[in-house]
Amino acid sequence: MPKEYPYPLHPGQTHAEPLYATVPLEEYERIMTENRRMREALKRHGITLLKEDRP
């Protein structure tokens, strides 16, 4: 786990392992298209999103 993105630990926990999932390419592309459309709609309404610290 990267040290620059520490996860909060439960009491007694010494480290946290990140969880990963496999997403089919078609589903990923659909999600990215939907995200782009939502950002464009927000922009048309004058709403600015803050950038996240994580990639």
Side-chain angles (χ1 to χ4, degrees):
M1 174 175 44
K3 292 182 180 178
E4 63 267 16
Y5 306 125
Y7 291 95
L9 301 176
H10 293 284
Q13 190 177 14
T14 58
H15 70 284
E17 291 294 328
L19 301 176
Y20 299 95
T22 302
V23 178
L25 180 59
E26 296 81 10
E27 181 71 8
Y28 174 80
E29 290 173 343
R30 187 192 63 76
I31 291 169
M32 291 292 104
T33 299
E34 183 178 343
N35 285 347
R36 186 178 69 247
R37 287 180 184 158
M38 285 193 294
R39 286 181 185 273
E40 290 169 357
L42 291 172
K43 188 175 181 180
R44 283 194 305 271
H45 286 59
I47 299 170
T48 303
L49 298 177
L50 299 176
K51 293 194 178 220
E52 294 183 20
D53 292 335
R54 298 182 195 188

